[in-house]
Amino acid sequence: YLLNNNLEKGKEMINSALDLTKDSVNLYPQILGLAAAILESMQDYAGAEAKYNESLTLAPNQFEANFGMGKMIFNRGVDKLDAANAVPPEDETGLYDRLLEESNGFFRQSVQYFKAAITYIDALPANVQGAQRPNLFNCLSALKTVYARLEMYDELKAVNARMDEIQKAQ
């Protein structure tokens, strides 16, 4: 249903899956993350955030919900930044500054989730970490953008060094 862009039916199916897996300690948090991603794609950010938070409450040490929440918040920051850049230069209402501050707020908020996703990957056994390299690189890339936007240059140096290590290992 999701591949056919039938989001309502996809949402219905995910809710059915949630009902079926409610008693599964391992599966239910994963299904909550999928439900959150569907809600996010429907721009129901409050609903997506609630599902991500529920998933993280049940299983805080995971990649999917941490990365999903971080990505959603990051993308909202990008949307606000785009809106700020669309404000005409002659506008004197302060709209540009307000949108820019909202954007930076979203970027700051996303950091904790990307860091949690990275911590999860770093704690995996070495033989599993290799398969997670693309996910790790995506998290680091997002942090790189956030740190650059927020002018957090010390943190940016560490992220760049880590990304260089990954690229050299390939």
Side-chain angles (χ1 to χ4, degrees):
Y1 293 108
L2 298 175
L3 293 175
N4 291 325
N5 209 26
N6 187 343
L7 297 178
E8 285 301 321
K9 189 66 173 176
K11 186 177 173 182
E12 180 185 320
M13 295 285 93
I14 288 291
N15 285 331
S16 294
L18 284 170
D19 288 341
L20 292 171
T21 61
K22 199 147 194 112
D23 295 329
S24 173
V25 174
N26 295 323
L27 196 53
Y28 187 66
Q30 292 176 12
I31 301 297
L32 283 167
L34 292 173
I38 291 169
L39 293 171
E40 178 186 349
S41 69
M42 297 172 72
Q43 296 182 340
D44 178 357
Y45 300 119
E49 186 173 350
K51 295 288 188 209
Y52 280 133
N53 280 330
E54 185 178 354
S55 178
L56 290 169
T57 298
L58 296 171
N61 189 24
Q62 60 166 302
F63 174 80
E64 291 80 8
N66 278 303
F67 181 73
M69 180 75 106
K71 180 180 62 72
M72 178 182 74
I73 294 168
F74 175 92
N75 287 338
R76 293 188 70 198
V78 170
D79 291 345
K80 291 291 181 178
L81 182 60
D82 290 345
N85 289 331
V87 173
E90 62 274 2
D91 182 274
E92 295 181 13
T93 64
L95 178 60
Y96 173 82
D97 292 333
R98 282 193 305 276
L99 289 170
L100 189 60
E101 186 51 41
E102 286 180 41
S103 171
N104 287 343
F106 281 122
F107 287 136
R108 277 189 290 277
Q109 193 180 1
S110 71
V111 169
Q112 65 182 331
Y113 297 104
F114 291 130
K115 283 183 167 183
I118 290 168
T119 299
Y120 172 78
I121 292 171
D122 287 346
L124 292 172
N127 61 335
V128 179
Q129 284 183 6
Q132 292 294 320
R133 190 170 290 133
N135 289 334
L136 177 60
F137 198 82
N138 288 337
C139 288
L140 291 168
S141 294
L143 277 178
K144 177 179 179 175
T145 301
V146 168
Y147 289 154
R149 285 275 339 133
L150 298 176
E151 299 177 359
M152 299 172 71
Y153 299 118
D154 289 339
E155 292 86 349
L156 181 60
K157 287 177 191 176
V159 168
N160 282 333
R162 184 109 190 250
M163 290 176 74
D164 287 346
E165 285 176 26
I166 292 171
Q167 288 175 323
K168 287 177 186 174
Q170 291 181 353

